């Protein structure tokens, strides 16, 4: 996608007008040649992250078999059903920083004999280890998802990690494989991805990239799985605009030991970790800064892919964004270490603009994991005891699921800018693809909360003059679903002619071109 913007005009206006412009219409043109094909958008771009953090696992997913909340072998039925509906392709577990202190043996065997630890990172609460390796694989099985297991390089040993891999994947008559069988699982599990460390620049060990690259090689050497069963091995990269880790890892880790480098990026409205901004009740200036900061991931991906182009010209390494999303101030009255936050229409727009960016980099960005799946940060689902709500972000995942494994189609977007002060983002972002069902899909996000956009689609290489699908929008910037009003915000049916698709202010649309 190439965004051509009326930047010049936008800047000229900015000097003369107040920050919030009066209502106007963005005239946008999207040119698509359906005969052109780009890379496949890997379904794993729509992956999730589930950490032992707050109520991300306990209460949010796992309530135990004896709970009054309807469950299947301890897993909440409502949450599992809702997640199945958006076709979660892959789940990363057990952390995050939690993974850096996780010792897998604590989470196997009879539950009443598992050790109780302290979750030092997240609220200092007791970690019962009731949810461990077997429960994780049962969860992904219930969801129909693949497993992304994150190993502990920060405080674990090479032997511990190697033995976990053997426990999970061995089909032999070894003591470890037999221990797995004794604990109830006969067949080895399939692991799609295995992370060797998490945030090794910070909570995962405060390492230098050179040191971590050596450690990575050492740990990866001893991670053995049966032939054809080795997961994709993921190196822990850095965050934001930094490229040094991508550079050092891609030069110092051999291609047969690494399949991808992970990268993290959180959108914090203020850019200040001490006072990030509230999840609700914000002004337009904060809406804007959230869009503007989220949009930066495009540049951060670009500069890192530039490094990979140099060090890995054959494109063997993936670039995985295995933590991303919005991060606001803790909700008043809640345990700050639980990272529980509300989720509004603003988060829906952030999800859509991020997907449109990920699609553009689909060749290398083949997996991402939003942080996090339930009750933590930019969640799909919020729970309160037996109650559950689906967030606006959940609905965007539902609308975009047609892009899973779809073949991207390059497009050109001519749009004005949504501006504030000296900063601006494209008012409308878009992506197009041919779905696995053979249909043509277009996604559009109008980031401007004040002004509508009218999109003209110039389509070549396919015969269509109408668009039909779904629209997500609301009157308030912080519109949301609550436990009292769980259906306040949901997608509605949407139809338009291709030469005049009217996007309301602050809206997401996904349509089939017919
Ligand atoms: O997602 C919350 C935390 O953010 C993760 O545990 C950590 O990896 C990151 O800093």
């Amino acid at each position: 996608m190439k965004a051509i913007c009326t930047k010049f005009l936008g800047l000229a206006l900015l000097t003369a007008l107040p920050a919030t412009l009066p209502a106007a219409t963005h005239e946008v043109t999207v040119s698509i040649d359906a005969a052109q094909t780009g890379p496949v958008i890997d379904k794993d771009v729509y992956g999730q992250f589930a950490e032992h953090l707050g109520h991300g696992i306990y209460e949010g997913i796992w309530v135990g078999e004896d709970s009054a909340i309807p469950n299947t072998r301890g897993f909440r039925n409502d949450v599992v059903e809702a997640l199945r509906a958006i076709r979660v392709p892959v789940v990363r577990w057990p952390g995050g920083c939690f993974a850096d202190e996780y010792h897998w043996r604590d989470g196997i065997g009879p539950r009443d004999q598992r050790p109780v630890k302290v979750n030092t990172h997240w609220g200092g609460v007791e970690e019962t280890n009731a949810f461990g390796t077997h429960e994780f694989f049962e969860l992904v099985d219930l969801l129909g998802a693949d497993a992304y297991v994150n190993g502990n390089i920060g405080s674990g040993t090479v032997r511990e990690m190697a033995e976990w891999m053997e426990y999970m994947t061995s089909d032999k008559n070894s003591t470890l494989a037999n221990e797995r069988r004794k604990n109830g699982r006969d067949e080895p599990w399939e692991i799609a991805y295995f992370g060797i460390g998490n945030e090794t620049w910070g909570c995962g060990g405060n390492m230098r990239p050179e040191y971590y690259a050596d450690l990575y090689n050492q740990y990866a050497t001893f991670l053995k799985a049966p032939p054809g069963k080795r997961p994709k091995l993921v190196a822990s990269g850095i965050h934001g605009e930094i490229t040094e880790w991508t550079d050092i890892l891609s030069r110092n880790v051999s291609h047969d030991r690494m399949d991808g480098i992970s990268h993290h990026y959180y959108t914090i409205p203020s850019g200040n970790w001490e006072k990030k901004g509230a999840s609700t009740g914000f002004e337009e200036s904060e809406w804007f800064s959230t869009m503007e900061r989220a949009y930066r991931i495009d540049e951060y991906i670009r500069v890192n892919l530039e490094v990979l182009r140099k060090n890995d010209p054959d494109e063997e390494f993936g670039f995985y964004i295995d933590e991303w999303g919005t991060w606001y101030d803790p909700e008043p009255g809640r345990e700050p270490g639980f990272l529980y936050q509300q989720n509004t229409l603003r988060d829906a727009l952030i999800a859509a603009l991020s997907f449109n960016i990920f699609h553009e980099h689909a060749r290398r960005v083949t997996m991402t994991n939003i942080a996090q799946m339930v009750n933590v940060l930019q969640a799909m689902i919020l729970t309160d005891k037996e109650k559950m709500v689906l967030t606006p972000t959940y609905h965007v995942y539902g609308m975009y699921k047609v892009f899973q494994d779809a073949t991207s189609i390059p497009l050109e977007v001519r749009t004005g800018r949504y501006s504030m002060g000296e900063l601006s983002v494209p008012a409308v972002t878009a992506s197009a693809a041919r779905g696995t069902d053979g249909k043509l899909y277009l996604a559009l996000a109008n980031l401007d909360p004040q002004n509508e956009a009218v999109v003209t689609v110039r389509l070549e290489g396919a015969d269509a003059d109408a668009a039909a699908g779904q629209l997500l929008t609301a009157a308030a910037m912080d519109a949301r679903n609550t436990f009292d009003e769980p259906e306040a915000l949901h997608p509605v049916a949407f139809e338009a002619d291709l030469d005049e698709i009217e996007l309301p202010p602050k809206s997401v649309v996904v349509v089939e071109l017919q």
Side-chain angles (χ1 to χ4, degrees), residues 49 51 53 92 96-98 122 198-199 201 203 264 266 323 327 339 371-372 377:
F49 175 31
E51 179 167 13
L53 196 177
R92 176 176 181 238
C97 297
F98 181 81
W122 307 120
N198 163 72
E199 295 199 347
W201 47 268
C203 64
H264 293 177
Y266 285 101
E323 286 184 32
W327 193 323
L339 309 188
Q372 300 193 4
L377 298 176

Side-chain angles (χ1 to χ4, degrees), residues 12 36 148 184 225 286 372 495 504:
Q36 305 273 334
Y148 175 4
E286 267 184 72
Q372 300 193 4
E495 284 184 4

Side-chain angles (χ1 to χ4, degrees), residues 144 216 301 384 417:
Y216 180 97
I301 293 173
D384 180 16
R417 310 282 293 182

Side-chain angles (χ1 to χ4, degrees), residues 210-265:
E210 295 82 357
Y211 177 70
Y212 170 61
D214 286 346
L215 267 192
Y216 180 97
N217 280 321
Q218 183 192 356
Y219 276 67
T221 304
F222 298 98
L223 278 181
K224 294 178 183 159
K229 298 292 179 189
R230 199 204 77 174
K232 287 187 174 147
L233 298 181
V234 184
S236 156
I238 187 86
H239 56 86
E241 73 282 16
I242 305 170
T243 55
E244 186 195 11
W245 281 64
T246 305
D247 184 34
I248 290 171
L249 290 171
S250 55
R251 281 192 289 110
N252 291 290
V253 176
S254 79
H255 289 232
D256 53 358
R257 288 199 198 104
M258 181 171 80
D259 296 281
I261 299 172
S262 79
H263 201 80
H264 293 177
Y265 181 59

Side-chain angles (χ1 to χ4, degrees), residues 57 133 222 280 284 395 401 421 440 466 500:
I57 300 279
T133 302
F222 298 98
T280 57
E284 189 189 341
H395 288 305
K401 70 183 176 197
L440 267 182
E500 196 175 3

